């Protein structure tokens, strides 16, 4: 069995052609997800997996186990309670959720007689200080980089794609004027008082680093428009376009290799700018077969 695809139909797993256990002997399994990743192998099986972070939305998982057959009886960490093959996949990449937060009543203390509430229209989001390409060793369970040039830097960052949105529906009272205004159809609307809104709408995945890349500290840049409406109006107006940058060094510094947690990078939006906090969440592992 070599690079055998396995599919799930919502109820059960299947593959073809069918394989049978030996009466006696040992079988070692190495597996990866999603199917189609670039890899190197030999008669000893799967050796390395290559990965390129093109959009940061590419996950990568792997599993390994052994099964021993002795006179038709099976044992080992690869055998489940019902006697079927058991593969428990673990993440090979750092899983990151970029979340946006905005306090309520942001403008009340500034000009309470003028502004009623506001919206943040996030239109660009980019990061740097991460590897673009890497190779994972199944034997050593570690990453190595292809070359120093395969990094996202401040000068050449990774542009994270935002979802398309109908801004006029998301912000009733705001009239889009694309030729003259700041609006874009690719954006995230953050409401005043909203918490933990995933900027990308899904998790991002980054190749683990040994601390941080020397000379290339991780950071971010976010470009957004502040939309406000006055106390006597239902119409939102653009109060200006803002560009903010920040460091993500504290998120990754001191963490060598894979961080075995889901990393929540929280961007706190306020009238003074954007600050960053971090939360870690435990993975909930599930057996795949």
């Amino acid at each position: 069995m070599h690079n055998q695809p396995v599919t799930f139909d919502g109820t059960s797993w299947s593959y073809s052609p069918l394989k049978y256990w030996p009466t006696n002997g040992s079988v070692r399994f190495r597996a990866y997800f999603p199917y189609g990743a670039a890899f190197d192998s030999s008669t000893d099986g799967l050796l390395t997996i290559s990965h390129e972070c093109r959009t940061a939305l590419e996950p990568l998982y792997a599993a390994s186990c052994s099964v021993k057959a002795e006179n038709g009886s099976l044992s080992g960490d690869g055998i489940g309670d019902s006697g079927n093959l058991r593969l428990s996949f673990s993440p090979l990449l750092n899983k990151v959720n970029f979340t946006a937060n905005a306090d309520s009543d942001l403008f009340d203390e500034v000009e309470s007689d003028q502004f009623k509430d506001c919206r943040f229209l996030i239109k660009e989001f980019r990061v740097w200080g991460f590897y673009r390409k890497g190779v994972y060793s199944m034997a050593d369970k570690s990453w190595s980089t292809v070359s120093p040039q395969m990094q996202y830097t401040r000068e050449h960052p990774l542009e994270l794609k935002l979802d398309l949105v109908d801004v006029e529906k998301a912000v009733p009272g705001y009239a889009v004027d694309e030729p003259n205004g700041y609006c874009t159809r690719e954006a995230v609307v953050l409401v005043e008082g909203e918490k933990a809104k995933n900027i990308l709408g899904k998790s991002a995945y980054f190749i683990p680093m040994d601390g941080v890349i020397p000379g290339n500290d991780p950071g971010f840049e976010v470009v957004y428009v502040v939309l406000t409406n006055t106390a006597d109006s239902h119409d939102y107006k653009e109060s200006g376009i803002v560009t903010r940058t920040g460091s993500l060094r504290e998120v990754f510094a001191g963490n060598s290799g894979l961080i075995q947690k889901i990393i929540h990078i929280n961007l706190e939006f306020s009238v003074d700018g954007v600050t960053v906090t971090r939360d870690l969440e435990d993975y909930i592992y599930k057996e795949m077969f």
Side-chain angles (χ1 to χ4, degrees):
M1 179 182 285
H2 177 67
N3 200 32
Q4 172 69 59
V6 181
T7 59
F8 185 65
D9 62 6
T11 302
S12 61
W13 296 90
S14 62
Y15 67 94
S16 180
L18 194 64
K19 305 295 192 299
Y20 296 91
W21 294 107
T23 302
N24 292 285
S26 296
V27 182
R28 182 173 63 182
F29 292 89
R30 284 178 175 171
Y32 66 90
F33 169 84
Y35 182 76
F39 65 91
D40 292 322
S41 63
S42 69
T43 54
D44 195 39
L46 182 64
L47 301 179
T48 64
I49 304 174
S50 299
H51 179 77
E52 181 175 2
C53 176
R54 295 185 179 91
T55 65
L57 301 179
E58 306 92 348
L60 184 62
Y61 294 79
S64 63
C65 67
S66 297
V67 176
K68 183 179 180 180
E70 188 172 5
N71 296 324
S73 179
L74 303 176
S75 62
D77 60 353
I79 294 298
D81 295 336
S82 59
N84 59 320
L85 176 65
R86 176 177 60 193
L87 287 174
S88 296
F89 282 76
S90 298
L92 302 185
L93 304 172
N94 284 332
K95 185 175 182 178
V96 177
N97 289 329
F98 291 100
T99 62
N101 307 272
D103 289 336
S104 58
D105 304 323
L106 285 175
F107 284 92
D108 283 4
E109 295 181 4
V110 181
E111 296 177 77
S112 59
D113 60 333
Q114 181 177 357
F115 292 110
K116 184 167 58 178
D117 59 6
C118 73
R119 303 287 187 269
F120 295 95
L121 182 62
I122 304 170
K123 59 192 299 288
E124 296 176 24
F125 189 59
R126 55 188 61 91
V127 296
W128 58 85
F130 301 96
Y131 290 118
R132 178 176 177 178
K133 288 186 176 181
V135 177
Y136 181 79
S137 169
M138 292 291 289
D140 299 336
K141 296 183 178 180
S142 63
W143 283 92
S144 60
T145 54
V146 176
S147 70
Q149 288 73 36
M150 291 300 170
Q151 303 174 6
Y152 289 108
T153 64
R154 179 68 181 87
E155 294 74 22
H156 301 284
L158 172 59
E159 303 284 347
L160 297 174
K161 186 174 178 59
L162 306 178
D163 288 337
L164 296 176
V165 63
D166 187 332
V167 181
E168 290 182 341
K169 287 185 177 180
V171 187
Y174 176 59
V176 173
D177 184 13
E178 291 189 356
N180 302 309
Y182 305 121
C183 184
T184 176
R185 297 297 182 182
E186 190 174 290
V188 175
V189 177
L190 180 65
V191 179
E192 184 176 345
E194 191 169 7
K195 300 294 183 182
K197 181 162 190 173
N198 194 315
I199 294 178
L200 304 180
K202 59 198 73 171
S203 297
Y205 301 88
F206 295 98
I207 296 172
M209 303 175 291
D210 186 7
V212 297
I213 302 173
N216 192 15
D217 282 0
F220 72 92
E221 180 177 87
V222 60
V223 179
Y224 60 95
V225 178
V226 181
L227 305 178
T228 61
N229 63 349
T230 57
D232 58 352
S233 172
H234 294 289
D235 297 329
Y236 280 88
K237 303 296 183 183
E238 297 162 352
S239 297
I241 189 167
V242 182
T243 299
R244 299 292 187 189
T245 60
S247 173
L248 299 177
R249 179 181 177 86
E250 295 304 317
V251 174
F252 297 97
N255 294 283
S256 180
L258 179 67
I259 301 174
Q260 295 282 359
K261 301 277 187 177
I262 302 173
I263 307 166
H264 295 273
I265 297 178
N266 309 307
L267 277 67
E268 310 288 341
F269 285 76
S270 71
V271 293
D272 298 320
V274 179
T275 57
V276 174
T277 62
R278 183 194 74 170
D279 295 318
L280 298 177
E281 177 186 347
D282 290 334
Y283 275 103
I284 299 177
Y285 292 99
K286 294 183 179 180
E287 294 178 0
M288 298 295 284
F289 316 159

